[in-house]
Amino acid sequence: GARTIRLLERVASGGDELAAIAATHALAGMLDDEASRVLVGLLGDDREFLREHAAWALGSGLPRHEAVGGLLGMVVRGGFAGMLAQRSLEQWSGFAPAPLVAGVEGGLLGIGEAEARARLVETLGLVRDPLATAPLVRLAADPDEPEPVRVAAIAALGQRDDPGTVVSTLEAIAGADGYLGAVAGLALADLAATGPMRRRDGASLTVAQLFLHADIDPGLRSAGAGDNGGIATLLVRLGDALVRDPESPVDRVITLSRGSVAAALADLVAVEASERGHEYGRIPLLSDPVPSARAWPLRVATRRGIRRILRAAGGADVLHLRMADVGSLAAADVARELGLPVVFTLAPDPHAVIDSLDRAGRIGRSDFGRVDLVEHFWFRTRLVHRLAANAAHTVLFPRPRLEEDLRRLVGVDPAADPSHRTIVPEGVDTESIDRALDEVDAHRRGAEPGPAIDELRRLVGGLDADRRGRPLILSVGRLHRVKGMAALVEAWAASPIASRANLLIVGGDLAAPSDDEREQLDRIESLVPAAERARRGLLLPGHRPNDVVARWSAAARLGVPGAIAPGGVYACASLKEEFGIALLEAMAAGLFVVAPDGGGPATYVDHGRTGILTATWDVDRLSSALAEALTASQAEQGDDRAERSRAVVRERFTVQRMARVLGGVYRTVARDEAGLLEPADRVR
């Protein structure tokens, strides 16, 4: 009632930022005209974080004409808030298309900046009513419009329900060479794919898996650059394992990731023609690649790209989503539209990060909103809940306190509906690591080094003479604050461990670093300036392909004559690690490891025997763990401990074992889905 609305309005205006956000969403849940009026008023609040949440919350109610202008203003400014505003307007567009079309056309009259105009045109393209078609055709064909505006209009024409003049306009643009022609080609493919989807026949399954924020290729040449982390490696290896296992129910895997317009056009042909094997489908984002945290405004292009590939494939028996990002947000919409069952890997992310920041005193109720502006914690946690609730099956990582963490951090009871939850450890390709160990061992015995070891020799040879011949502390991963690379450099550089071992950090695009990579590189530079690295023993070569990393891991353990002493260690300094592909690969190479004491690593690192578990967010404790690990590794007299580490991975964490378990999950989901649809099929 009115009293509750006044109370929530007062809380929303107070200094407790966490409570203010909660009050904003509570107002949206009241479905009351006065509550909606208060929400519209919050669009003009002085606090940016509250304006953002008001824009999101308004979408759950009926259209408010007086809010259209404010929401379009947020779309013009772009960013995460612009995505939320656009999403709310899209939800309203089916009920009130005319005010939205009029608002966009009015906005275009007064806005000249190309990217802002493009965002308005993209929003216009979300209005399915025929009112939007004529202005989209005009904008697409106008040679005086900036390219981003025409791209937005052309892409939107592929989604029209009233083709009319749309086809001739697109064909004329597609007939020209260049980027606009390629985008028009994709839009024509979208138009041709309307109507009932051609379903693929056969008893074997097609599984689609997605990681948007990587340039995934079978050779894993970009591993460790930007957001190309362990998940990219996992999807390549897992997809291969699923289709190669003769007992697997899966005979086709489609791995979706970002890519160019030209690659997307080629992939459409390949995917449509494919019957079995591991295929790759590129999603053109129609913009330069950006880090995952800044990719939310690419929701519309992502959704179109996912829909396009899955329709070309004849659908999928299962769509597996793994994280709360814009890719999963868009893919969930497509799955609902095409009627595809979803498997979701449920993990306390970002919940565990929030918990770590809270324990470290770096976030609280009084500043939660301002932190949320950057990290989008509230939206991401809600997205996790939504994906888990709507999934046909959830997959869980093993954790020491799995049930407790899911209840306390995520608010999910894992004991509820256990038949629809499966614990699946991730896995690595131990065969490629075995080949790397054999190659390094052969070099120790006198054979010529291969290209990877030859490059490592040159890197170490660039250090001062007195730094050569020392063991390596190796770390592999993205240059991102969550991965803790700068913290690792700090823990190493400020302690006596720096005199005992060189530090090799593999990861990051050094030639064109992202914002996240630049932040870590700047921190590392302040700790160990580039001019001092040769003297102090810090090696930063950037990212390397997975096979090169395997050989460098083998070299850290076995040594390289004249360059690297045997008995090095592997260090993971992540704030949180849900499982840890790179850690498992290091253990498969026989390295003694340092790892976070929470999350997945604690389920396979035997503290004191195969590694050291520590609070990686505490630099002093991380430094002590590095020293303890190096001392233990250097004291080893044989291979017993290394073989224990390798056996753990070989027996429990291979990608082949992971594929077998997931294959069973996919079979069950497909069978259950077929059972649900059978009555409807009989009626037809």
Side-chain angles (χ1 to χ4, degrees), residues 356-426:
S356 294
L357 293 173
D358 182 34
R359 286 189 288 112
R362 292 162 56 189
I363 191 172
R365 299 176 70 95
S366 63
D367 65 352
F368 183 90
R370 283 163 287 172
V371 175
D372 191 57
L373 267 177
V374 177
E375 301 292 349
H376 318 310
F377 284 144
W378 193 284
F379 186 86
R380 288 162 59 201
T381 55
R382 290 278 291 270
L383 179 57
V384 168
H385 296 161
R386 175 183 153 200
L387 291 169
N390 293 336
H393 202 99
T394 52
V395 167
L396 308 170
F397 293 129
R399 298 169 66 92
R401 299 177 298 276
L402 176 62
E403 293 192 5
E404 176 190 337
D405 284 351
L406 288 178
R407 288 194 185 96
R408 182 176 67 88
L409 298 176
V410 187
V412 169
D413 182 3
D417 202 11
S419 64
H420 289 85
R421 303 188 197 279
T422 303
I423 297 175
V424 182
E426 290 188 339

Side-chain angles (χ1 to χ4, degrees), residues 120-143:
L120 283 176
V121 172
E122 182 181 72
T123 305
L124 180 64
L126 298 175
V127 180
R128 305 306 291 266
D129 191 276
L131 275 173
T133 302
L136 286 170
V137 169
R138 184 180 68 251
L139 290 158
D142 188 349

Side-chain angles (χ1 to χ4, degrees), residues 293-372:
R294 288 173 39 214
W296 296 99
L298 305 178
R299 176 184 71 99
V300 174
T302 300
R303 187 171 63 192
R304 287 178 181 144
I306 293 170
R307 179 194 294 114
R308 185 183 302 123
I309 288 289
L310 292 179
R311 287 192 68 100
D317 297 286
V318 177
L319 173 61
H320 194 150
L321 304 178
R322 287 180 163 84
M323 53 191 56
D325 66 353
V326 68
S328 293
L329 175 67
D333 287 347
V334 176
R336 187 164 49 252
E337 174 191 337
L338 300 183
L340 308 180
V342 170
V343 169
F344 179 56
T345 296
L346 174 61
D349 180 18
H351 313 71
V353 175
I354 299 170
D355 187 52
S356 294
L357 293 173
D358 182 34
R359 286 189 288 112
R362 292 162 56 189
I363 191 172
R365 299 176 70 95
S366 63
D367 65 352
F368 183 90
R370 283 163 287 172
V371 175
D372 191 57

Side-chain angles (χ1 to χ4, degrees), residues 130 142 152 260 267 274 315 359 449 499 521 533 571:
D142 188 349
S260 68
D267 289 345
S274 69
R359 286 189 288 112
S499 65
L521 288 170
R533 289 175 193 165

